Amino acid sequence: MSSRAAEVLRLLRVKGETLAVAESLTGGLVAAEITATPGASQAFRGSVTAYATELKRELLGVDGALLAMRGAVDPQVAAQMAAGVRKALGADWGIATTGVAGPDPQDGQPVGTVFVAVDGPGGADSGDTGGGKVAALRLNGDRAEIRMESVRSVLALLLEELRGERTGNERAQDTEQNGGT
């Protein structure tokens, strides 16, 4: 169990919000990391592991033309995966991973090319599409290291977004935990 996953779940519970996960290269590792935390069911809705490209389109609503033109390893694909899983599983937040863990390049992208994305409420549009953020990563290491760093990175991106949307009650709790009044 990671402290990052535990903190994600704590913040979601404080806000009364939920999370859904869309994974490709991580193959379920993000969901496993989250569900290793006791009480995860209070905020975690579920996950879709869409390893095959056509499943990204069929299950997550990723644009077929985008997939045909750029392939599955693309920042827009990651963003659409996060938005699609959020919608499909009825969650407040959606996160996604797509990339190349190796051993061979894919879709013209070298090993270590990874995109992680977050889609959540309160974006610039504040509508059904929410607000999203994508991080492009160039990771080194073997297949296992690239996959685990992708897990850490998508959770860190989500934490950054969750911390940026703090409620007054949550700020008060953090102040108390840090010795303030």
Side-chain angles (χ1 to χ4, degrees):
M1 163 178 67
S2 82
S3 60
R4 204 171 270 154
E7 180 65 4
V8 160
L9 290 166
R10 183 190 75 78
L11 290 173
L12 287 168
R13 283 191 300 267
V14 164
K15 294 167 166 258
E17 294 178 338
T18 57
L19 173 65
V21 177
E23 300 186 65
S24 187
L25 86 147
T26 50
L29 292 173
V30 177
E33 190 75 12
I34 291 166
T35 58
T37 303
S41 62
Q42 294 173 11
F44 184 61
R45 296 275 303 154
S47 65
V48 174
T49 301
Y51 213 65
T53 299
E54 68 270 12
L55 294 180
K56 292 171 182 64
R57 179 180 50 77
E58 293 169 8
L59 298 176
L60 300 171
V62 176
D63 182 273
L66 173 65
L67 289 166
M69 184 172 38
R70 296 197 191 155
V73 183
D74 180 81
Q76 283 184 273
V77 170
Q80 289 184 18
M81 287 173 65
V85 78
R86 177 180 173 225
K87 181 179 178 184
L89 300 186
D92 298 297
W93 293 89
I95 59 176
T97 62
T98 188
V100 186
D104 300 314
Q106 178 186 334
D107 296 332
Q109 299 286 353
V111 172
T113 302
V114 175
F115 298 98
V116 297
V118 172
D119 188 73
D125 298 330
S126 293
D128 289 340
T129 57
K133 187 171 184 178
V134 178
L137 310 172
R138 288 285 307 137
L139 303 176
N140 295 312
D142 64 21
R143 182 175 173 80
E145 291 167 327
I146 290 169
R147 292 173 77 216
M148 287 312 298
E149 186 54 37
S150 298
V151 172
R152 287 188 286 272
S153 296
V154 76
L155 291 174
L157 185 64
L158 177 57
L159 268 177
E160 185 179 297
E161 293 299 299
L162 288 169
R163 288 176 176 152
E165 296 195 355
R166 291 182 175 210
T167 64
N169 184 37
E170 184 182 336
R171 282 192 297 271
Q173 288 178 357
D174 284 347
T175 301
E176 291 170 17
Q177 289 174 358
N178 292 319
T181 55

